[in-house]
Amino acid sequence: MAATRFTKMAYASADEMTFGVSKYPVKAGLGLEIGAGYTIPEVNYAPRPEAGASKEKLIKEYERITTDIMARMVQVGFPAVILETEHVQQMSNNPSWGAEVAHAQKTIMEEYHDEYGIKCALRHTIGDIRENRDFLQLRGDKYSVFLEAFEECAKAGADLLSVESMGGKEVFDYAVLRNDIAGMLYAIGCLGSIDMELIWSDISAIAKKTGTVSAGDTDCAQANTAMFIGGGLLDKNLAHTLAILARAISAPRSLVAYECGAVGPGKDCGYENVVIKAITGMPMTQEGKTSTCAHSDVMGNLIMQCCDCWSNESVEYHGEFGGTTVQCWGESLAYDCALMNTALETKNDKVLRDLLMLSDRYRDPQAYVLAYDNAYRIGQAIVKDGDNIYLRAKNAAIACCDIVSEGAAGKLELSRFETKALADAKASLDSLTDDMDKFMDDCLTKYKSEVKVFLPENYGF
């Protein structure tokens, strides 16, 4: 199917957005409605490496994980939960493995739902296996196995289908190490969006065929890479202004899933999801302070501001003093959701939203831009040229620079290192053409010669 581009915002103003409420709630799984007035914990986990030795061991591990989460939710009296299984490579490369895991998990979830009435759904995030040792192989032989993994998992019990796709990453990795803004724009905004359109049209068709939910993608491969290289306030490997530029450019790229039939909830590690919610009105999962088991960030409270589901990113399954990891982190997530849900019921949701946002707003340029009022402005910049994948990504980047500059004139403190990076980025963006075809042609020529692993045929060129 062709993409239906977003050219206007779902909300009339940023203040309309809050957590637990979306314009287009999603029914999924066993009695769940997502974004329909309450938030839901989404627990994410990884099997121990030794469990991947055989299919049987892997299924057993996921059965333990699933039982542990469901039991803890019922024990402490939580009404709803989503489980997210991010495939280890064996489960996507051998679609029958992923499907058997999904079936085993769903069987346990159905038992708990029938016995205790707990509402629940299962997300499977297929691994992007479209690569060989040296190159991305986005459209090669592996593509059919990739799609088969979605279909088999959907048939076996997965309710929500997601992936963290890698289109553009080979150029992005080259560009980000060189502070090359045009390269980042090309990699994420252009190459990423082209690949997204291919895969999400197909994933949405599978969801339709199997009666499951085409849920969404994240730009983990690029924007999260930038965020992790950026690190904390003492790190100088990559300016945080460049990390948030990558994030702003990732919003129109991740948006493509929803232009090709995805309906949410967007996947947890897409910090760009707040921008996407503003544009689409669809429900989104986020992660922050309760995903410190997986990584640190500089906006752990702020990013809760408009979430519909709240996730821990991922935790390896093993024992802790308080139970297994999935029980401990699942319980923390569920208590966060209980607080948000009480705020919604007592009509204090906007107070809590603003407290979460203000507690991190001035911590870092990344937090400042993703504060919901500024995220909304990034959305406006995107939809202004919503039909042009290059211009809308460029607009997002320029709006991001403007927002950081305004912040720096106020309470947002920028170091000399950050101030210089911002000025350089702005100059680079100002020098770019408005002509998409010219930009695409110039970049194709440049990166084909400079990046040995960049294969234009991956993008249909």
Side-chain angles (χ1 to χ4, degrees):
M1 64 178 264
T4 310
R5 301 290 183 206
F6 283 95
T7 52
K8 56 182 196 292
M9 303 295 282
Y11 296 91
S13 72
D15 187 54
E16 280 186 27
M17 296 164 66
T18 186
F19 48 73
V21 182
S22 65
K23 291 243 170 179
Y24 305 105
V26 171
K27 287 191 165 82
L30 303 166
L32 264 192
E33 195 165 0
I34 302 159
Y38 56 96
T39 60
I40 304 159
E42 181 164 355
V43 192
N44 195 330
Y45 35 77
R48 290 165 287 199
E50 58 271 23
S54 72
K55 183 170 75 173
E56 292 64 38
K57 280 188 172 166
L58 204 55
I59 292 168
K60 277 274 173 291
E61 184 91 333
Y62 281 111
E63 286 177 336
R64 284 190 289 266
I65 287 169
T66 306
T67 303
D68 283 0
I69 294 167
M70 297 307 295
R72 179 63 62 98
M73 291 295 133
V74 169
Q75 282 282 31
V76 191
F78 296 120
V81 67
I82 297 172
L83 275 64
E84 183 188 357
T85 299
E86 292 184 335
H87 280 207
V88 292
Q89 61 83 13
Q90 300 94 307
M91 291 162 63
S92 298
N93 277 313
N94 309 297
S96 67
W97 288 37
E100 288 184 49
V101 167
H103 175 73
Q105 289 189 281
K106 195 61 172 295
T107 303
I108 294 164
M109 293 167 74
E110 282 167 345
E111 286 164 6
Y112 275 88
H113 175 71
D114 294 346
E115 180 77 18
Y116 303 105
I118 184 168
K119 297 173 178 173
C120 51
L122 177 62
R123 187 195 302 257
H124 266 231
T125 297
I126 309 304
D128 194 347
I129 55 171
R130 300 174 299 153
E131 57 180 337
N132 63 25
R133 209 175 63 220
D134 302 314
F135 297 95
L136 289 181
Q137 273 190 314
L138 301 181
R139 299 178 183 219
D141 316 336
K142 289 217 172 155
Y143 189 57
S144 56
V145 182
F146 176 68
L147 290 182
E148 189 190 337
F150 281 98
E151 185 155 348
E152 293 307 311
C153 286
K155 285 185 192 156
D159 302 301
L160 308 168
L161 305 180
S162 284
V163 61
E164 301 172 13
S165 62
M166 303 225 288
K169 183 163 176 60
E170 72 287 62
V171 173
F172 174 80
D173 287 351
Y174 177 88
V176 74
L177 295 175
R178 291 162 177 78
N179 293 342
D180 172 3
I181 305 292
M184 286 162 53
L185 197 57
Y186 181 59
I188 305 174
C190 301
L191 299 179
S193 296
I194 289 166
D195 184 55
M196 286 282 289
E197 191 168 338
L198 170 79
I199 65 174
W200 279 96
S201 301
D202 288 338
I203 296 164
S204 296
I206 289 168
K208 197 170 188 173
K209 184 165 99 180
T210 53
T212 56
V213 176
S214 175
D217 204 306
T218 83
D219 195 34
C220 182
Q222 298 173 106
N224 284 12
T225 298
M227 180 172 82
F228 298 148
I229 299 172
L233 303 183
L234 299 178
D235 296 316
K236 294 214 166 39
N237 293 325
L238 179 71
H240 293 200
T241 41
L242 288 194
I244 191 58
L245 267 176
R247 182 71 64 191
I249 296 166
S250 79
R253 170 258 176 221
S254 295
L255 181 67
V256 175
Y258 309 94
E259 295 177 321
C260 295
V263 293
K267 194 180 135 40
D268 54 2
C269 59
Y271 283 71
E272 65 270 20
N273 283 350
V274 61
V275 179
I276 293 171
K277 183 169 181 175
I279 295 172
T280 64
M282 294 174 192
M284 295 292 144
T285 300
Q286 302 277 187
E287 66 186 39
K289 74 179 183 71
T290 314
S291 65
T292 49
C293 48
H295 64 86
S296 175
D297 70 30
V298 287
M299 50 206 141
N301 283 328
L302 176 140
I303 206 69
M304 284 175 87
Q305 61 196 345
C306 298
C307 74
D308 298 287
C309 311
W310 182 233
S311 165
N312 65 312
E313 154 85 354
S314 188
V315 69
E316 188 187 82
Y317 182 64
H318 58 246
E320 297 284 8
F321 287 163
T324 57
T325 49
V326 291
Q327 294 182 307
C328 300
W329 290 92
E331 185 171 330
S332 293
L333 291 169
Y335 272 121
D336 289 341
C337 290
L339 176 63
M340 288 187 276
N341 293 345
T342 305
L344 282 161
E345 284 167 35
T346 58
K347 305 212 172 1
N348 287 303
D349 47 308
K350 290 189 176 179
V351 177
L352 180 55
R353 174 197 69 185
D354 288 354
L355 289 171
L356 290 166
M357 182 273 287
L358 285 167
S359 70
D360 295 329
R361 184 181 181 92
Y362 301 108
R363 193 178 301 282
D364 189 85
Q366 298 172 87
Y368 188 76
V369 174
L370 290 175
Y372 67 86
D373 55 320
N374 289 330
Y376 185 89
R377 289 170 60 190
I378 300 279
Q380 288 177 304
I382 292 165
V383 299
K384 187 174 76 184
D385 288 298
D387 286 322
N388 182 311
I389 60 169
Y390 163 62
L391 276 184
R392 70 187 196 174
K394 179 169 166 260
N395 292 351
I398 291 168
C400 178
C401 285
D402 292 345
I403 289 165
V404 176
S405 299
E406 285 166 27
K411 288 188 193 168
L412 179 66
E413 288 182 24
L414 290 189
S415 65
R416 285 196 306 275
F417 172 64
E418 293 291 350
T419 304
K420 182 181 183 316
L422 179 62
D424 291 349
K426 188 93 176 78
S428 172
L429 287 164
D430 287 344
S431 72
L432 293 176
T433 177
D434 280 339
D435 182 337
M436 176 163 98
D437 292 337
K438 180 175 178 359
F439 178 79
M440 298 274 276
D441 288 347
D442 291 351
C443 285
L444 184 59
T445 306
K446 175 178 162 69
Y447 296 107
K448 200 164 64 173
S449 72
E450 291 179 21
V451 184
K452 295 292 168 268
V453 293
F454 173 44
L455 305 178
E457 57 269 29
N458 272 324
Y459 305 94
F461 298 144

